[in-house]
Amino acid sequence: MKSLPRNARIRGEPYLPNRFIFGDAVDEQGLEGAEYLMHTESPAFVCRLVGNDDTDFPGRERDGLASAMLYDEEESLTVYVCNLRLRLFDFNFYDEIEPSVGELQDICDEAMRVYQRLHKAYADRDAAGPEPREMRIGPTKPLPPAERQLAVGKLAEQARQAVGKPMEGAQLAAAVQMALLAGDQAVFTEAQLSLVSEPAARQLLVNSARDAVAFPEVMRKDGNVMSFELWALPFAFSRSQGGVWWHFPRLESLEVALADALEVPEKSILWISPTLFTVDMLNERACQDLVQLAPVMDAGCDFAPLDPESSRATFDAARKTVEPQLVMSWIPFLVERGALPPERARRLARRALDASMPLVQQAVAAEMEYGEAELFAPLPWWEALSSGMRAWNRKRLGISVALLATSQGGIEKLEAVAEYQPEIQGYEVGLRLKGSDEIAARVPWLAVPDVAPDRDACWRDLADCLKEAGIPLSQSVARLH
Protein backbone atom coordinates (compact mmCIF):
# COMPACT_ATOMS: atom_id res chain seq x y z
CA MET A 1 0.00 0.00 0.00
CA LYS A 2 1.15 3.58 -0.71
CA SER A 3 0.77 6.68 1.45
CA LEU A 4 -1.69 9.37 0.34
CA PRO A 5 -0.79 13.03 -0.32
CA ARG A 6 -2.38 15.42 2.18
CA ASN A 7 -4.64 16.95 -0.49
CA ALA A 8 -5.80 13.64 -2.01
CA ARG A 9 -9.52 12.85 -2.22
CA ILE A 10 -10.61 9.96 0.00
CA ARG A 11 -12.26 7.07 -1.82
CA GLY A 12 -15.56 5.97 -0.26
CA GLU A 13 -16.48 2.43 0.65
CA PRO A 14 -18.47 0.43 -1.95
CA TYR A 15 -21.27 -0.29 0.54
CA LEU A 16 -23.37 1.73 2.97
CA PRO A 17 -22.92 1.28 6.72
CA ASN A 18 -25.65 -0.31 8.80
CA ARG A 19 -28.66 1.97 9.22
CA PHE A 20 -28.33 1.93 13.04
CA ILE A 21 -24.90 1.94 14.70
CA PHE A 22 -24.59 1.62 18.47
CA GLY A 23 -21.36 2.28 20.35
CA ASP A 24 -19.50 3.75 23.32
CA ALA A 25 -17.35 6.87 23.55
CA VAL A 26 -14.58 8.03 25.87
CA ASP A 27 -13.71 11.40 27.32
CA GLU A 28 -10.92 12.65 29.61
CA GLN A 29 -12.41 10.70 32.55
CA GLY A 30 -12.67 7.43 30.62
CA LEU A 31 -15.69 5.56 29.27
CA GLU A 32 -18.80 7.75 29.11
CA GLY A 33 -21.91 6.74 31.01
CA ALA A 34 -24.11 6.70 27.90
CA GLU A 35 -24.01 4.75 24.66
CA TYR A 36 -24.51 6.49 21.33
CA LEU A 37 -26.95 5.73 18.52
CA MET A 38 -26.18 6.84 14.96
CA HIS A 39 -28.89 6.84 12.28
CA THR A 40 -27.08 6.84 8.93
CA GLU A 41 -30.04 7.33 6.58
CA SER A 42 -32.08 10.48 6.16
CA PRO A 43 -32.88 12.02 8.55
CA ALA A 44 -29.33 11.38 9.78
CA PHE A 45 -28.73 12.03 13.46
CA VAL A 46 -26.72 11.05 16.54
CA CYS A 47 -28.21 10.74 20.01
CA ARG A 48 -27.38 9.33 23.43
CA LEU A 49 -28.83 6.11 24.82
CA VAL A 50 -29.12 5.13 28.50
CA GLY A 51 -30.80 2.24 30.29
CA ASN A 52 -32.66 1.73 33.59
CA ASP A 53 -35.11 4.49 32.68
CA ASP A 54 -38.44 4.37 34.58
CA THR A 55 -40.09 7.51 33.20
CA ASP A 56 -43.87 7.13 33.33
CA PHE A 57 -45.88 7.61 30.11
CA PRO A 58 -49.26 6.40 28.81
CA GLY A 59 -49.06 2.81 27.62
CA ARG A 60 -45.94 1.79 29.61
CA GLU A 61 -47.69 -1.35 30.94
CA ARG A 62 -48.83 -2.45 27.49
CA ASP A 63 -47.55 -5.72 26.03
CA GLY A 64 -45.03 -5.39 23.24
CA LEU A 65 -43.02 -2.29 22.49
CA ALA A 66 -44.63 0.92 23.72
CA SER A 67 -42.99 4.33 23.50
CA ALA A 68 -43.56 8.08 23.72
CA MET A 69 -41.85 11.29 22.68
CA LEU A 70 -41.65 13.68 25.62
CA TYR A 71 -40.39 17.23 26.01
CA ASP A 72 -38.33 18.29 29.00
CA GLU A 73 -39.25 21.96 29.46
CA GLU A 74 -36.58 22.62 32.13
CA GLU A 75 -33.76 21.31 29.93
CA SER A 76 -35.43 22.16 26.59
CA LEU A 77 -34.80 18.62 25.38
CA THR A 78 -36.76 16.14 23.30
CA VAL A 79 -36.68 12.70 24.91
CA TYR A 80 -37.74 9.30 23.60
CA VAL A 81 -38.74 6.71 26.25
CA CYS A 82 -40.05 3.16 25.94
CA ASN A 83 -41.15 0.24 28.11
CA LEU A 84 -37.79 -1.49 27.52
CA ARG A 85 -36.46 0.96 30.15
CA LEU A 86 -34.36 2.71 27.51
CA ARG A 87 -34.13 6.45 26.85
CA LEU A 88 -32.85 8.36 23.79
CA PHE A 89 -32.01 12.07 24.14
CA ASP A 90 -29.60 14.80 22.93
CA PHE A 91 -30.68 14.43 19.29
CA ASN A 92 -28.27 16.09 16.83
CA PHE A 93 -29.56 16.19 13.23
CA TYR A 94 -27.34 16.48 10.17
CA ASP A 95 -30.00 17.00 7.45
CA GLU A 96 -31.46 20.36 6.51
CA ILE A 97 -35.02 19.12 7.22
CA GLU A 98 -35.68 17.65 10.67
CA PRO A 99 -38.30 14.86 11.03
CA SER A 100 -41.68 15.32 12.68
CA VAL A 101 -42.30 13.89 16.16
CA GLY A 102 -44.16 10.92 14.69
CA GLU A 103 -41.44 10.18 12.14
CA LEU A 104 -38.72 10.36 14.79
CA GLN A 105 -40.70 8.08 17.14
CA ASP A 106 -41.09 5.46 14.38
CA ILE A 107 -37.35 5.57 13.68
CA CYS A 108 -36.54 5.23 17.39
CA ASP A 109 -38.97 2.31 17.73
CA GLU A 110 -37.16 0.53 14.90
CA ALA A 111 -33.82 1.35 16.56
CA MET A 112 -34.98 -0.27 19.82
CA ARG A 113 -35.98 -3.45 17.98
CA VAL A 114 -32.54 -3.54 16.34
CA TYR A 115 -30.97 -2.92 19.76
CA GLN A 116 -32.78 -5.97 21.14
CA ARG A 117 -31.55 -8.12 18.25
CA LEU A 118 -28.03 -6.80 18.79
CA HIS A 119 -28.05 -7.85 22.45
CA LYS A 120 -29.47 -11.24 21.54
CA ALA A 121 -26.62 -11.67 19.05
CA TYR A 122 -24.14 -10.75 21.81
CA ALA A 123 -25.76 -13.24 24.18
CA ASP A 124 -25.69 -15.99 21.54
CA ARG A 125 -22.02 -15.27 20.85
CA ASP A 126 -21.16 -15.36 24.57
CA ALA A 127 -23.10 -18.60 25.01
CA ALA A 128 -21.23 -20.19 22.11
CA GLY A 129 -17.89 -19.21 23.64
CA PRO A 130 -14.75 -18.28 21.75
CA GLU A 131 -14.01 -19.57 18.27
CA PRO A 132 -12.57 -23.10 18.53
CA ARG A 133 -8.83 -23.17 17.98
CA GLU A 134 -6.72 -25.93 16.53
CA MET A 135 -5.77 -28.59 19.08
CA ARG A 136 -2.25 -29.94 18.78
CA ILE A 137 -1.13 -33.15 20.44
CA GLY A 138 2.49 -33.54 21.48
CA PRO A 139 4.39 -36.25 19.57
CA THR A 140 4.58 -39.74 21.05
CA LYS A 141 7.23 -41.62 19.08
CA PRO A 142 8.78 -44.57 20.96
CA LEU A 143 12.17 -45.47 19.52
CA PRO A 144 13.18 -49.05 18.69
CA PRO A 145 14.95 -50.63 21.69
CA ALA A 146 18.45 -50.40 20.21
CA GLU A 147 18.05 -46.73 19.19
CA ARG A 148 16.54 -45.90 22.58
CA GLN A 149 19.46 -47.40 24.50
CA LEU A 150 21.89 -45.54 22.28
CA ALA A 151 20.06 -42.25 22.93
CA VAL A 152 19.88 -42.95 26.69
CA GLY A 153 23.61 -43.69 26.88
CA LYS A 154 24.53 -40.61 24.86
CA LEU A 155 22.39 -38.30 27.03
CA ALA A 156 23.77 -39.74 30.27
CA GLU A 157 27.34 -39.39 28.99
CA GLN A 158 26.73 -35.75 28.05
CA ALA A 159 25.50 -35.11 31.60
CA ARG A 160 28.68 -36.66 33.05
CA GLN A 161 30.89 -34.55 30.82
CA ALA A 162 28.97 -31.33 31.63
CA VAL A 163 29.60 -31.42 35.39
CA GLY A 164 31.56 -28.30 36.26
CA LYS A 165 31.89 -27.24 32.59
CA PRO A 166 29.63 -24.34 31.51
CA MET A 167 30.21 -24.83 27.78
CA GLU A 168 29.29 -28.52 27.92
CA GLY A 169 26.36 -27.53 30.16
CA ALA A 170 24.91 -25.38 27.37
CA GLN A 171 25.28 -28.28 24.95
CA LEU A 172 23.56 -30.57 27.47
CA ALA A 173 20.62 -28.15 27.73
CA ALA A 174 20.17 -28.31 23.95
CA ALA A 175 20.43 -32.11 23.99
CA VAL A 176 17.82 -32.38 26.74
CA GLN A 177 15.49 -30.05 24.82
CA MET A 178 15.79 -32.24 21.71
CA ALA A 179 15.24 -35.43 23.73
CA LEU A 180 12.05 -34.08 25.31
CA LEU A 181 10.71 -32.73 22.01
CA ALA A 182 11.36 -36.03 20.22
CA GLY A 183 8.45 -37.73 21.99
CA ASP A 184 10.05 -40.84 23.54
CA GLN A 185 9.53 -40.29 27.25
CA ALA A 186 11.76 -43.23 28.18
CA VAL A 187 14.96 -41.60 26.85
CA PHE A 188 15.17 -38.91 29.51
CA THR A 189 13.64 -41.07 32.26
CA GLU A 190 16.10 -43.92 31.76
CA ALA A 191 19.01 -41.51 31.40
CA GLN A 192 18.35 -39.84 34.75
CA LEU A 193 17.74 -43.22 36.44
CA SER A 194 21.06 -44.53 35.11
CA LEU A 195 22.79 -41.66 36.94
CA VAL A 196 21.40 -42.39 40.41
CA SER A 197 24.89 -43.29 41.65
CA GLU A 198 26.26 -40.04 40.17
CA PRO A 199 24.19 -37.34 41.91
CA ALA A 200 26.04 -34.33 40.41
CA ALA A 201 25.49 -35.47 36.82
CA ARG A 202 21.92 -36.57 37.50
CA GLN A 203 21.01 -33.26 39.15
CA LEU A 204 22.48 -31.35 36.21
CA LEU A 205 20.42 -33.45 33.80
CA VAL A 206 17.21 -33.00 35.81
CA ASN A 207 17.74 -29.25 36.20
CA SER A 208 18.24 -28.92 32.44
CA ALA A 209 14.88 -30.61 31.83
CA ARG A 210 13.17 -28.41 34.41
CA ASP A 211 14.60 -25.28 32.81
CA ALA A 212 13.46 -26.44 29.36
CA VAL A 213 9.89 -26.53 30.72
CA ALA A 214 10.00 -23.46 32.95
CA PHE A 215 11.97 -21.13 30.63
CA PRO A 216 11.00 -22.09 27.07
CA GLU A 217 12.57 -20.49 24.01
CA VAL A 218 10.36 -20.41 20.91
CA MET A 219 11.78 -20.05 17.40
CA ARG A 220 9.22 -18.35 15.18
CA LYS A 221 8.88 -18.73 11.41
CA ASP A 222 10.36 -15.27 10.84
CA GLY A 223 13.54 -16.33 12.62
CA ASN A 224 12.89 -14.37 15.82
CA VAL A 225 13.32 -16.11 19.16
CA MET A 226 10.85 -15.42 21.99
CA SER A 227 11.81 -16.10 25.58
CA PHE A 228 9.00 -17.06 27.98
CA GLU A 229 8.48 -18.10 31.58
CA LEU A 230 5.90 -20.73 32.47
CA TRP A 231 3.68 -19.89 35.45
CA ALA A 232 0.53 -21.50 36.81
CA LEU A 233 -2.54 -20.96 38.96
CA PRO A 234 -3.08 -24.05 41.16
CA PHE A 235 -6.79 -24.93 41.05
CA ALA A 236 -8.48 -27.47 43.33
CA PHE A 237 -12.10 -28.58 43.08
CA SER A 238 -14.47 -31.36 44.08
CA ARG A 239 -16.70 -33.51 41.88
CA SER A 240 -19.56 -35.82 42.76
CA GLN A 241 -19.35 -37.52 39.35
CA GLY A 242 -16.64 -39.62 37.77
CA GLY A 243 -14.14 -38.34 35.24
CA VAL A 244 -12.43 -34.97 34.88
CA TRP A 245 -12.43 -32.81 31.76
CA TRP A 246 -9.38 -30.70 30.92
CA HIS A 247 -10.01 -28.25 28.04
CA PHE A 248 -11.86 -24.99 28.87
CA PRO A 249 -11.83 -22.52 25.93
CA ARG A 250 -13.41 -19.73 28.01
CA LEU A 251 -10.25 -19.50 30.10
CA GLU A 252 -8.96 -17.23 27.33
CA SER A 253 -11.04 -14.43 28.90
CA LEU A 254 -8.74 -14.63 31.93
CA GLU A 255 -5.73 -13.25 30.03
CA VAL A 256 -6.61 -9.53 30.17
CA ALA A 257 -7.89 -9.63 33.77
CA LEU A 258 -4.82 -11.51 35.02
CA ALA A 259 -2.37 -9.31 33.12
CA ASP A 260 -4.02 -6.16 34.52
CA ALA A 261 -4.11 -7.53 38.06
CA LEU A 262 -0.41 -8.49 37.95
CA GLU A 263 0.53 -5.21 36.25
CA VAL A 264 2.18 -6.93 33.29
CA PRO A 265 3.43 -4.21 30.88
CA GLU A 266 0.92 -3.52 28.10
CA LYS A 267 3.18 -4.65 25.25
CA SER A 268 4.36 -7.82 27.03
CA ILE A 269 2.80 -11.21 26.35
CA LEU A 270 0.67 -13.11 28.87
CA TRP A 271 -1.15 -16.13 27.45
CA ILE A 272 -3.40 -18.48 29.40
CA SER A 273 -3.51 -22.14 28.41
CA PRO A 274 -7.14 -23.33 28.15
CA THR A 275 -5.80 -26.81 28.93
CA LEU A 276 -5.92 -27.63 32.62
CA PHE A 277 -3.42 -30.21 33.90
CA THR A 278 -4.32 -32.66 36.69
CA VAL A 279 -1.89 -34.64 38.84
CA ASP A 280 -2.61 -37.81 36.86
CA MET A 281 -1.98 -36.09 33.52
CA LEU A 282 1.33 -34.69 34.71
CA ASN A 283 2.45 -37.98 36.22
CA GLU A 284 1.53 -39.95 33.09
CA ARG A 285 4.20 -38.15 31.03
CA ALA A 286 6.43 -37.12 33.98
CA CYS A 287 5.77 -33.47 33.00
CA GLN A 288 7.90 -33.98 29.90
CA ASP A 289 5.19 -33.07 27.38
CA LEU A 290 5.01 -29.57 28.92
CA VAL A 291 8.01 -28.71 26.76
CA GLN A 292 5.49 -28.62 23.86
CA LEU A 293 3.25 -26.07 25.56
CA ALA A 294 5.04 -22.81 24.65
CA PRO A 295 5.49 -23.50 20.89
CA VAL A 296 1.85 -24.59 20.58
CA MET A 297 0.51 -21.55 22.44
CA ASP A 298 2.80 -19.18 20.53
CA ALA A 299 1.33 -20.57 17.30
CA GLY A 300 -2.17 -19.59 18.48
CA CYS A 301 -3.27 -23.18 19.11
CA ASP A 302 -4.35 -25.16 22.17
CA PHE A 303 -2.21 -27.95 23.57
CA ALA A 304 -3.80 -31.39 23.96
CA PRO A 305 -1.94 -33.69 26.37
CA LEU A 306 -4.35 -36.49 25.41
CA ASP A 307 -6.35 -37.29 22.29
CA PRO A 308 -9.33 -34.89 22.58
CA GLU A 309 -11.99 -37.11 20.99
CA SER A 310 -11.25 -40.30 22.93
CA SER A 311 -10.68 -38.31 26.10
CA ARG A 312 -14.07 -36.59 25.72
CA ALA A 313 -15.80 -39.92 25.11
CA THR A 314 -14.20 -41.35 28.24
CA PHE A 315 -15.26 -38.30 30.24
CA ASP A 316 -18.86 -38.42 28.98
CA ALA A 317 -19.08 -42.09 30.00
CA ALA A 318 -17.47 -41.55 33.41
CA ARG A 319 -19.59 -38.51 34.31
CA LYS A 320 -22.68 -40.75 34.41
CA THR A 321 -21.30 -42.53 37.48
CA VAL A 322 -21.35 -41.36 41.08
CA GLU A 323 -17.73 -41.08 42.21
CA PRO A 324 -17.03 -38.29 44.73
CA GLN A 325 -13.48 -37.03 44.26
CA LEU A 326 -11.17 -34.17 45.08
CA VAL A 327 -9.04 -32.97 42.18
CA MET A 328 -5.81 -30.99 42.22
CA SER A 329 -4.90 -29.29 38.97
CA TRP A 330 -2.96 -26.38 37.47
CA ILE A 331 -3.85 -23.70 34.91
CA PRO A 332 -0.61 -22.81 33.09
CA PHE A 333 0.12 -19.42 31.59
CA LEU A 334 3.07 -18.04 29.64
CA VAL A 335 4.65 -14.67 30.43
CA GLU A 336 7.29 -12.94 28.37
CA ARG A 337 10.66 -13.32 30.10
CA GLY A 338 11.20 -10.57 32.70
CA ALA A 339 7.67 -9.12 32.46
CA LEU A 340 6.52 -10.51 35.81
CA PRO A 341 9.04 -10.35 38.68
CA PRO A 342 8.17 -12.87 41.44
CA GLU A 343 8.14 -10.18 44.13
CA ARG A 344 5.47 -8.24 42.20
CA ALA A 345 3.41 -11.40 41.75
CA ARG A 346 3.51 -12.04 45.50
CA ARG A 347 2.52 -8.45 46.27
CA LEU A 348 -0.42 -8.54 43.85
CA ALA A 349 -1.48 -12.15 44.49
CA ARG A 350 -4.73 -11.25 46.28
CA ARG A 351 -5.79 -8.88 43.51
CA ALA A 352 -4.98 -11.53 40.91
CA LEU A 353 -7.07 -14.15 42.74
CA ASP A 354 -10.04 -11.78 43.11
CA ALA A 355 -9.95 -10.97 39.39
CA SER A 356 -9.36 -14.57 38.26
CA MET A 357 -11.70 -16.69 40.37
CA PRO A 358 -15.05 -15.64 38.80
CA LEU A 359 -13.69 -16.12 35.28
CA VAL A 360 -12.16 -19.51 36.12
CA GLN A 361 -15.45 -20.67 37.66
CA GLN A 362 -17.43 -19.56 34.59
CA ALA A 363 -15.00 -21.26 32.21
CA VAL A 364 -14.99 -24.57 34.09
CA ALA A 365 -18.75 -24.57 34.73
CA ALA A 366 -19.41 -24.18 30.98
CA GLU A 367 -17.78 -27.58 30.31
CA MET A 368 -17.98 -29.60 33.55
CA GLU A 369 -20.04 -29.78 36.73
CA TYR A 370 -18.04 -29.29 39.92
CA GLY A 371 -18.64 -28.59 43.58
CA GLU A 372 -16.43 -26.43 45.77
CA ALA A 373 -13.39 -24.82 44.17
CA GLU A 374 -10.25 -23.13 45.44
CA LEU A 375 -7.75 -21.07 43.44
CA PHE A 376 -4.21 -20.52 44.70
CA ALA A 377 -1.84 -17.62 44.03
CA PRO A 378 0.03 -17.55 40.69
CA LEU A 379 3.59 -18.85 40.91
CA PRO A 380 6.40 -19.94 38.56
CA TRP A 381 5.67 -23.45 37.27
CA TRP A 382 7.73 -25.67 39.55
CA GLU A 383 6.91 -23.55 42.61
CA ALA A 384 3.22 -23.76 41.69
CA LEU A 385 3.43 -27.58 41.52
CA SER A 386 5.25 -27.80 44.84
CA SER A 387 3.09 -25.36 46.82
CA GLY A 388 -0.17 -26.66 45.32
CA MET A 389 0.65 -30.30 46.03
CA ARG A 390 1.90 -29.48 49.53
CA ALA A 391 -1.31 -27.62 50.39
CA TRP A 392 -3.53 -30.31 48.86
CA ASN A 393 -1.82 -33.20 50.65
CA ARG A 394 -2.18 -31.43 53.99
CA LYS A 395 -5.80 -30.53 53.38
CA ARG A 396 -6.85 -34.11 52.58
CA LEU A 397 -4.84 -35.62 55.41
CA GLY A 398 -6.04 -32.96 57.85
CA ILE A 399 -9.71 -33.63 57.06
CA SER A 400 -9.28 -37.40 57.55
CA VAL A 401 -7.35 -36.96 60.80
CA ALA A 402 -9.91 -34.50 62.17
CA LEU A 403 -12.86 -36.81 61.41
CA LEU A 404 -11.14 -39.86 62.88
CA ALA A 405 -9.87 -38.02 65.96
CA THR A 406 -13.37 -36.72 66.68
CA SER A 407 -14.87 -40.21 66.59
CA GLN A 408 -12.03 -41.89 68.52
CA GLY A 409 -11.57 -39.44 71.37
CA GLY A 410 -8.57 -37.35 70.32
CA ILE A 411 -5.62 -37.04 67.97
CA GLU A 412 -3.22 -38.40 70.58
CA LYS A 413 -4.78 -41.86 70.16
CA LEU A 414 -3.84 -42.09 66.47
CA GLU A 415 -0.81 -43.37 64.62
CA ALA A 416 0.01 -43.65 60.93
CA VAL A 417 1.64 -46.20 58.66
CA ALA A 418 2.60 -45.34 55.08
CA GLU A 419 3.40 -47.52 52.08
CA TYR A 420 4.73 -46.23 48.76
CA GLN A 421 2.41 -46.93 45.82
CA PRO A 422 4.15 -46.51 42.44
CA GLU A 423 0.83 -46.44 40.56
CA ILE A 424 -0.23 -43.21 42.30
CA GLN A 425 3.28 -41.71 42.52
CA GLY A 426 2.98 -41.30 46.28
CA TYR A 427 2.32 -42.90 49.64
CA GLU A 428 -0.89 -44.45 50.91
CA VAL A 429 -1.21 -43.33 54.52
CA GLY A 430 -3.17 -45.63 56.84
CA LEU A 431 -4.55 -44.10 60.05
CA ARG A 432 -5.30 -46.39 63.00
CA LEU A 433 -5.63 -46.43 66.77
CA LYS A 434 -2.40 -46.98 68.67
CA GLY A 435 -1.87 -50.66 69.39
CA SER A 436 -4.34 -51.75 66.71
CA ASP A 437 -3.53 -53.39 63.38
CA GLU A 438 -6.82 -52.40 61.79
CA ILE A 439 -6.65 -49.41 59.44
CA ALA A 440 -9.47 -46.97 60.17
CA ALA A 441 -8.87 -44.58 57.25
CA ARG A 442 -6.64 -44.39 54.17
CA VAL A 443 -5.40 -41.16 52.59
CA PRO A 444 -3.08 -40.68 49.58
CA TRP A 445 -0.03 -38.45 50.01
CA LEU A 446 1.25 -37.69 46.52
CA ALA A 447 4.71 -36.73 45.34
CA VAL A 448 5.09 -33.40 43.57
CA PRO A 449 4.79 -34.01 39.78
CA ASP A 450 8.18 -33.60 38.18
CA VAL A 451 10.39 -34.77 35.33
CA ALA A 452 12.00 -36.93 38.03
CA PRO A 453 9.61 -37.26 41.02
CA ASP A 454 11.45 -37.20 44.34
CA ARG A 455 10.17 -40.06 46.50
CA ASP A 456 12.48 -39.19 49.40
CA ALA A 457 11.29 -35.57 49.48
CA CYS A 458 7.70 -36.83 49.51
CA TRP A 459 8.44 -39.02 52.54
CA ARG A 460 10.21 -36.21 54.41
CA ASP A 461 7.29 -33.85 53.79
CA LEU A 462 4.82 -36.45 55.11
CA ALA A 463 6.99 -37.16 58.18
CA ASP A 464 7.33 -33.44 58.97
CA CYS A 465 3.57 -32.92 58.65
CA LEU A 466 2.66 -35.78 60.99
CA LYS A 467 5.41 -34.78 63.43
CA GLU A 468 3.86 -31.31 63.69
CA ALA A 469 0.50 -32.97 64.41
CA GLY A 470 2.02 -35.29 67.03
CA ILE A 471 1.09 -38.50 65.18
CA PRO A 472 3.72 -41.30 65.12
CA LEU A 473 4.60 -42.51 61.60
CA SER A 474 6.07 -45.81 60.44
CA GLN A 475 6.77 -47.09 56.93
CA SER A 476 5.47 -50.36 55.54
CA VAL A 477 7.60 -51.87 52.79
CA ALA A 478 5.83 -54.13 50.31
CA ARG A 479 7.40 -57.62 50.11
CA LEU A 480 7.53 -59.49 46.82
CA HIS A 481 7.20 -63.30 47.08
Side-chain angles (χ1 to χ4, degrees):
M1 298 179 69
K2 64 180 182 179
S3 59
L4 287 172
R6 293 176 62 87
N7 60 349
R9 295 181 63 83
I10 303 299
R11 293 181 178 275
E13 294 294 336
Y15 56 87
L16 292 175
N18 195 303
R19 185 179 184 188
F20 295 106
I21 301 175
F22 300 88
D24 294 313
V26 293
D27 57 19
E28 293 76 8
Q29 285 73 41
L31 194 66
E32 290 191 18
E35 286 185 80
Y36 283 82
L37 163 65
M38 293 182 61
H39 183 243
T40 62
E41 294 183 0
S42 182
F45 65 84
V46 176
C47 66
R48 292 188 181 186
L49 183 156
V50 294
N52 300 320
D53 181 86
D54 293 316
T55 303
D56 190 28
F57 64 89
R60 169 174 279 280
E61 304 303 325
R62 200 171 62 201
D63 292 337
L65 177 63
S67 64
M69 297 297 300
L70 307 177
Y71 183 69
D72 187 336
E73 295 184 353
E74 293 184 4
E75 300 292 337
S76 299
L77 290 176
T78 299
V79 177
Y80 168 90
V81 292
C82 66
N83 57 357
L84 299 177
R85 302 187 69 205
L86 297 171
R87 167 192 289 239
L88 298 175
F89 61 103
D90 283 355
F91 291 90
N92 287 271
F93 295 94
Y94 293 96
D95 287 347
E96 293 182 0
I97 301 176
E98 295 183 1
S100 67
V101 170
E103 291 171 339
L104 182 59
Q105 184 174 353
D106 291 340
I107 294 172
C108 292
D109 284 345
E110 185 181 355
M112 292 301 95
R113 296 186 185 97
V114 173
Y115 194 66
Q116 285 183 294
R117 294 203 305 272
L118 178 65
H119 275 264
K120 184 180 183 302
Y122 286 153
D124 292 343
R125 183 188 65 184
D126 293 341
E131 289 286 332
R133 299 196 297 197
E134 179 187 349
M135 296 283 286
R136 293 189 181 178
I137 304 176
T140 303
K141 300 178 181 177
L143 294 172
E147 291 184 31
R148 175 183 293 169
Q149 288 308 309
L150 186 63
V152 168
K154 183 178 179 180
L155 191 59
E157 184 60 28
Q158 284 181 289
R160 293 188 186 97
Q161 295 177 359
V163 175
K165 300 176 182 177
M167 185 61 69
E168 284 76 0
Q171 294 174 353
L172 175 65
V176 169
Q177 179 91 2
M178 294 302 296
L180 297 179
L181 287 170
D184 190 337
Q185 175 186 335
V187 172
F188 176 83
T189 300
E190 292 184 17
Q192 61 92 5
L193 289 175
S194 70
L195 296 172
V196 169
S197 60
E198 303 172 68
R202 180 178 182 273
Q203 195 60 49
L204 188 60
L205 183 64
V206 171
N207 288 344
S208 295
R210 289 174 177 163
D211 287 347
V213 170
F215 305 105
E217 303 274 353
V218 177
M219 175 72 76
R220 291 179 169 171
K221 291 182 178 180
D222 59 6
N224 292 327
V225 176
M226 286 298 301
S227 299
F228 294 104
E229 298 174 8
L230 182 61
W231 288 59
L233 290 158
F235 179 56
F237 58 92
S238 63
R239 265 181 63 77
S240 59
Q241 298 163 285
V244 175
W245 185 235
W246 45 264
H247 185 242
F248 304 98
R250 292 172 186 265
L251 282 176
E252 294 173 28
S253 64
L254 183 56
E255 289 177 355
V256 174
L258 187 60
D260 289 345
L262 295 174
E263 297 181 358
V264 175
E266 185 176 348
K267 294 185 179 180
S268 296
I269 293 173
L270 186 151
W271 286 329
I272 282 281
S273 167
T275 298
L276 172 149
F277 288 83
T278 65
V279 177
D280 292 339
M281 290 161 61
L282 293 171
N283 284 337
E284 183 177 353
R285 302 280 180 88
C287 296
Q288 293 184 29
D289 58 345
L290 291 169
V291 77
Q292 309 283 344
L293 193 59
V296 170
M297 291 176 65
D298 191 67
C301 304
D302 290 347
F303 180 67
L306 306 169
D307 176 65
E309 292 186 7
S310 59
S311 182
R312 186 74 198 195
T314 301
F315 169 69
D316 288 338
R319 72 196 298 188
K320 298 175 184 177
T321 64
V322 177
E323 184 188 338
Q325 55 183 318
L326 300 174
V327 181
M328 186 68 214
S329 62
W330 289 265
I331 303 170
F333 62 95
L334 284 177
V335 185
E336 196 170 334
R337 188 83 55 87
L340 181 57
E343 60 273 12
R344 188 204 300 158
R346 286 191 292 269
R347 175 171 55 85
L348 300 174
R350 173 49 56 187
R351 188 206 295 185
L353 291 177
D354 291 343
S356 301
M357 191 61 183
L359 298 175
V360 171
Q361 288 178 309
Q362 291 171 14
V364 175
E367 304 287 338
M368 176 181 69
E369 307 83 0
Y370 69 96
E372 295 183 357
E374 186 175 3
L375 194 67
F376 298 85
L379 288 169
W381 179 254
W382 298 114
E383 293 180 41
L385 290 188
S386 179
S387 65
M389 204 69 255
R390 178 183 172 88
W392 198 236
N393 280 336
R394 279 162 171 73
K395 182 171 184 176
R396 289 194 295 184
L397 183 60
I399 292 173
S400 298
V401 167
L403 292 174
L404 189 58
T406 300
S407 63
Q408 299 298 332
I411 197 172
E412 65 279 356
K413 295 185 178 182
L414 304 180
E415 65 179 9
V417 58
E419 180 179 345
Y420 187 74
Q421 302 287 346
E423 64 272 14
I424 66 170
Q425 289 281 1
Y427 288 88
E428 184 180 73
V429 182
L431 300 172
R432 64 191 182 192
L433 293 175
K434 291 179 179 178
S436 173
D437 292 333
E438 184 179 353
I439 300 297
R442 297 183 185 275
V443 188
W445 183 278
L446 304 182
V448 177
D450 198 353
V451 291
D454 194 334
R455 174 176 169 178
D456 294 334
C458 181
W459 171 261
R460 290 193 300 270
D461 193 31
L462 171 60
D464 291 343
C465 178
L466 290 175
K467 184 177 180 180
E468 292 175 9
I471 299 176
L473 172 65
S474 59
Q475 184 173 3
S476 173
V477 179
R479 296 180 180 272
L480 301 178
H481 297 281

